Amino acid sequence: MMTPEPSQQEPPNGDGKDEEANRLLPSKSPSPLSPSSDEEEVAYESREKISIVDLEGETLESLDASATPPFSWKKLWLFTGPGFLMSIAFLDPGNLEGDLQAGAIAGYSLLWLLMWATFMGLLIQLLSARVGVATGRHLAELCREEYPTWAGRLLWLMAELALIGADIQEVIGSAIAIKILSRGFLPIWAGVVITASDCFIFLFLENYGVRKLEAVFAVFIATMALSFAWMFGDAKPSGRELLIGVLVPKLSSKTIRQAVGVVGCVIMPHNVFLHSALVQSRKIDPHRKGRVQEALNYYSIESTFALLISFMINLFLTTVFAKGFYGTKQADGIGLVNAGQYLEEKYGGGVFPILYIWGIGLLAAGQSSTITGTYAGQFIMGGFLNLRLKKWLRALITRSFAIVPTMIVALVFNRSEASLDVLNEWLNVLQSMQIPFALIPLLTLVSKEQVMGVFKVGPLLERVAWTVAALVIVINGYLLLDFFMAEVDGVLFGFLVCAGTALYVAFIFYLVSHGGALSSTWFSLVTSKRFGFIGS
């Protein structure tokens, strides 16, 4: 659990509460070039936020600003929700496809990597939550203020591209599930149309409050957990091999691509932006040190628990396909489109056919992830562009950004399974390319005292976080290099790829160097022969 390292001393006289509150975050004077604070886009209106009440019935505003209250199960329950919405990105159809392919091709050997990748994802998400709680604003808003207009617009474009790529996979995954559950009566394009309506379901649920929306997502996660646990029970995988796969690291040249996919699927760019906004659904005064620390503690607990559940669900699916298809001729050809068919052939019908269990789990994953994608799109667009639009209009615009290309994709690529597999590869590449443009701004901001006040991360955590980010970026860079070396054909296309790569790398270096003193941390980590995680 992350704790701040305050450097300020208590005032010599008086209780100093007002002075301390003013020191927690830098004061912001309105710029003549930007709207005043009451005109700015916010993640949640005050009336939408959930009040956190102490056991004695006192609201947070009436209590001491600096003291962190003792642990309370009641408060943990009140803070529970944002972490589970965030965890949906670890369970979207793209991740499920990565799980089944890792199991079919690599067997149990990559379970250890799945576990450590989940830990890395947890660290990044906790930093995202930290930014949202400590500043009272989400990552997209902070990026708009931190970077020049041209860089902010480019970051927004990258975030939108990542969101569209993820949403296409999620909508297609839902459409495949609908086709399975309708016994082929509803084609892929019809499933896309049905899934597109989740925008209006989302708006309907929002009218009933944040807790109702979070309860619906809890049902989605429970459905996935039950479905894939049922499949796990039907498959009866080897407990010994499963335990060895989790505890003993193994990696071979034959499974390197699946290993890269396992790590690459964990960090979703839009999810980094989303979590920093979700934590603002609770009323937390960012100028009260004790309350900020309390919120960070509870969010750390619930996010850890949520990602533990997501890890178990991913583990269930990976082991089902490891038991059924590892070492078989079908292993290399299994994808999201035909996975249900292979499961039916391998495990048969039973009391409740495994094909439909798979379809139910996939539908829950697809529907929940498309709704969180709409949610993330609202925060990303509103934060970067400072749009003050009605929620229904902003959700409709956000949804259209993804649904229109998805409909085109569904009609064009619905001819064969092979074409959908090719599409999925390109979408994975699209999302991998955007990862630095979420991670670098996050780590830049969370390391700045001007932004975070006393909740700036310490040297130890900063170095660990940058190491994880560098590892994820390098792994995804390998995926991009491998993909383009296989796909680039022709002088003109090769020239365009090289030119685009140069601009891409240049923008990454700009973002790193923009952090000022932070850049020295980055380069020292990259160039040193070994990493010494000892704060200086």
Side-chain angles (χ1 to χ4, degrees):
M1 199 174 301
M2 297 179 295
T3 57
E5 299 181 3
S7 58
Q8 288 87 345
Q9 298 178 350
E10 292 298 323
N13 48 46
D15 59 15
K17 292 179 184 177
D18 293 336
E19 291 184 29
E20 180 183 29
N22 290 331
R23 285 200 306 263
L24 292 178
L25 291 173
S27 60
K28 297 175 182 64
S29 56
S31 167
L33 299 178
S34 61
S36 60
S37 60
D38 60 341
E39 294 176 345
E40 290 185 354
E41 188 273 345
V42 292
Y44 296 90
E45 300 290 345
S46 180
R47 58 183 171 78
E48 298 175 311
K49 294 186 178 184
I50 297 168
S51 294
I52 306 299
V53 180
D54 282 301
L55 293 176
E56 296 83 2
E58 296 181 285
T59 59
L60 296 184
E61 289 76 7
S62 64
L63 298 171
D64 180 32
S66 60
T68 303
F71 177 81
S72 161
W73 287 103
K74 177 182 178 181
K75 281 192 182 178
L76 177 60
W77 172 248
L78 291 174
F79 277 104
T80 297
F84 283 89
L85 267 70
M86 168 274 294
S87 72
I88 293 293
F90 289 70
L91 299 167
D92 72 353
N95 276 278
L96 300 187
E97 183 162 37
D99 291 338
L100 63 89
Q101 289 176 342
I105 297 173
Y108 299 89
S109 66
L110 294 182
L111 292 179
W112 67 274
L113 188 59
L114 175 64
M115 180 180 70
W116 284 106
T118 304
F119 282 146
M120 290 192 293
L122 174 62
L123 172 62
I124 297 301
Q125 295 303 148
L126 289 180
L127 292 177
S128 175
R130 188 184 190 92
V131 166
V133 173
T135 66
R137 292 169 296 161
H138 57 84
L139 184 58
E141 292 176 294
L142 292 169
C143 286
R144 187 185 74 236
E145 297 178 3
E146 175 71 17
Y147 295 99
T149 302
W150 70 269
R153 291 291 189 269
L154 194 51
L155 285 173
W156 168 66
L157 177 61
M158 295 301 185
E160 289 290 354
L161 288 174
L163 183 59
I164 290 171
D167 212 13
I168 290 175
Q169 287 182 315
E170 292 156 0
V171 172
I172 293 292
S174 285
I176 291 170
I178 291 170
K179 183 178 180 181
I180 290 173
L181 296 175
S182 68
R183 300 185 63 87
F185 178 75
L186 294 173
I188 296 291
W189 67 265
V192 170
V193 173
I194 294 172
T195 305
S197 64
D198 67 17
C199 169
F200 302 102
I201 296 173
F202 161 73
L203 292 172
F204 175 76
L205 292 173
E206 268 207 315
N207 290 332
Y208 287 89
V210 173
R211 293 298 270 178
K212 301 292 191 302
L213 185 65
E214 291 170 350
V216 170
F217 280 96
V219 172
F220 278 131
I221 293 172
T223 301
M224 282 184 271
L226 181 61
S227 298
F228 298 137
W230 191 318
M231 290 170 57
F232 181 83
D234 281 352
K236 297 180 176 63
S238 167
R240 179 176 176 276
E241 289 187 61
L242 189 156
L243 192 61
I244 292 174
V246 171
L247 299 179
V248 181
K250 292 181 184 178
L251 194 61
S252 69
S253 58
K254 295 180 181 179
T255 60
I256 189 68
R257 189 156 189 160
Q258 283 67 44
V260 170
V262 167
V263 177
C265 286
V266 166
I267 307 296
M268 305 290 284
H270 72 273
N271 207 39
V272 177
F273 288 97
L274 175 65
H275 200 194
S276 64
L278 291 174
V279 294
Q280 293 176 49
S281 59
R282 274 60 176 172
K283 286 185 178 179
I284 303 164
D285 186 350
H287 295 292
R288 290 173 175 259
K289 175 184 169 185
R291 300 307 168 180
V292 172
Q293 186 58 55
E294 178 188 45
L296 291 175
N297 293 342
Y298 285 121
Y299 281 137
S300 296
I301 294 171
E302 69 114 16
S303 295
T304 301
F305 184 64
L307 288 192
L308 175 63
I309 293 175
S310 76
F311 167 70
M312 293 303 300
I313 293 172
N314 285 314
L315 182 142
F316 287 155
L317 192 59
T318 303
T319 52
V320 164
F321 282 85
K323 172 65 186 300
F325 304 101
Y326 177 58
T328 66
K329 294 179 180 179
Q330 304 102 314
D332 290 327
I334 296 179
L336 210 59
V337 178
N338 57 19
Q341 174 189 338
Y342 282 122
L343 284 170
E344 187 175 40
E345 292 173 359
K346 182 69 178 181
Y347 297 107
V351 178
F352 195 58
I354 196 168
L355 172 65
Y356 299 116
I357 299 172
W358 160 249
I360 291 170
L362 181 58
L363 183 63
Q367 287 294 325
S368 58
S369 56
T370 53
I371 297 176
T372 54
T374 301
Y375 219 12
Q378 290 190 69
F379 296 132
I380 290 170
M381 179 180 289
F384 275 111
L385 304 183
N386 197 19
L387 296 179
R388 294 283 292 176
L389 299 175
K390 292 184 181 295
K391 283 197 171 183
W392 69 267
L393 181 58
R394 192 165 54 179
L396 189 60
I397 294 172
T398 303
R399 207 76 201 95
S400 300
F401 271 25
I403 287 299
V404 172
T406 303
M407 282 297 298
I408 296 171
V409 161
L411 294 172
V412 173
F413 286 86
N414 194 29
R415 298 171 186 173
S416 68
E417 295 176 0
S419 62
L420 281 173
D421 289 338
V422 170
L423 169 68
N424 190 58
E425 286 188 14
W426 279 94
L427 291 175
N428 286 337
V429 167
L430 177 65
Q431 293 174 76
S432 296
M433 290 176 65
Q434 315 312 322
I435 286 177
F437 308 122
L439 290 187
I440 296 174
L442 171 66
L443 299 187
T444 298
L445 291 164
V446 81
S447 306
K448 279 196 170 185
E449 188 171 0
Q450 300 95 315
V451 176
M452 299 291 294
V454 297
F455 291 97
K456 166 189 177 293
V457 295
L460 172 63
L461 185 55
E462 182 181 357
R463 292 189 180 189
V464 171
W466 276 101
T467 302
V468 168
L471 182 62
V472 171
I473 291 171
V474 168
I475 288 174
N476 280 277
Y478 173 87
L479 173 65
L480 297 176
L481 181 63
D482 180 66
F483 179 81
F484 282 117
M485 286 182 66
E487 296 294 328
V488 171
D489 186 20
V491 177
L492 179 59
F493 188 34
F495 173 77
L496 292 175
V497 169
C498 289
T501 301
L503 294 173
Y504 176 81
V505 173
F507 189 45
I508 290 177
F509 272 97
Y510 166 78
L511 293 175
V512 172
S513 64
H514 185 82
L518 178 62
S519 60
S520 62
T521 301
W522 168 271
F523 288 116
S524 66
L525 288 174
V526 173
T527 57
S528 62
K529 293 182 179 179
R530 65 175 185 170
F531 300 122
F533 297 123
I534 301 175
S536 55

